[in-house]
């Protein structure tokens, strides 16, 4: 199983980034794919998640108006578009996969993790 993130980097406050997560080694349509972030000294926080079988998307409160998650099932890839970025969005962003079930879009349900991609937002 592999979840490979890309698209992180350094951006100024107010800017945008699109993160990508390309997966392999499991049946994409059987999983919810999400993004979890961890800032230095803080707990991991679920950002967004999409149920690939029906496209249902979930967002953490406070980010709904700044992030959009989409999936390309033909490419086994999920994207996270982030806009109007703030310095407090600085974190390592991990792609995650959880077998579809009630509660799949929670951090506790994650079966697989990517290696993470750093997002740094400068003020």
């Amino acid at each position: 199983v592999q979840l490979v993130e890309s698209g992180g980097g350094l951006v100024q406050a107010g800017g945008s980034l699109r993160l990508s997560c390309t997966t392999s080694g499991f049946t994409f349509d059987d999983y919810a794919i999400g993004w979890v972030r961890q800032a230095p000294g803080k707990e991991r926080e679920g950002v967004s998640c999409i149920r690939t079988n029906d496209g249902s998307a979930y967002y953490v409160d406070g980010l709904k108006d700044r992030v959009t998650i989409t999936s390309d099932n033909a490419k086994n890839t999920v994207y996270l578009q982030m806009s109007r970025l703030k310095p407090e969005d600085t974190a390592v962003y991990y792609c995650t996969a959880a077998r579809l079930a009630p509660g799949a879009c929670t951090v506790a349900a994650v079966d697989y993790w990517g290696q993470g991609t750093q997002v740094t937002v400068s003020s």
Side-chain angles (χ1 to χ4, degrees):
V1 172
Q2 283 194 310
L3 292 82
V4 180
E5 302 99 334
S6 61
L10 174 64
V11 63
Q12 288 189 330
S16 299
L17 281 176
R18 188 178 80 155
L19 306 183
S20 300
C21 174
T22 300
T23 72
S24 61
F26 60 92
T27 303
F28 188 76
D29 293 357
D30 288 344
Y31 283 76
I33 308 297
W35 293 91
V36 173
R37 68 183 181 183
Q38 188 166 26
K42 294 191 175 181
E43 298 282 323
R44 287 179 172 175
E45 175 189 35
V47 175
S48 182
C49 177
I50 187 165
R51 299 174 69 93
T52 57
N53 61 329
D54 63 11
S56 300
Y58 302 89
Y59 301 95
V60 67
D61 288 343
L63 288 174
K64 286 182 180 180
D65 61 340
R66 297 194 293 118
V67 302
T68 302
I69 190 168
T70 57
S71 74
D72 184 336
N73 290 29
K75 295 182 179 180
N76 291 349
T77 298
V78 167
Y79 305 96
L80 186 72
Q81 179 71 46
M82 303 189 292
S83 60
R84 303 193 305 280
L85 285 161
K86 303 176 181 179
E88 51 264 44
D89 294 318
T90 295
V92 177
Y93 284 71
Y94 297 92
C95 179
T96 64
R99 185 171 291 277
L100 285 171
C105 281
T106 61
V107 176
V110 171
D111 293 305
Y112 305 116
W113 294 82
Q115 83 285 356
T117 186
Q118 178 71 47
V119 171
T120 303
V121 184
S122 63
S123 57

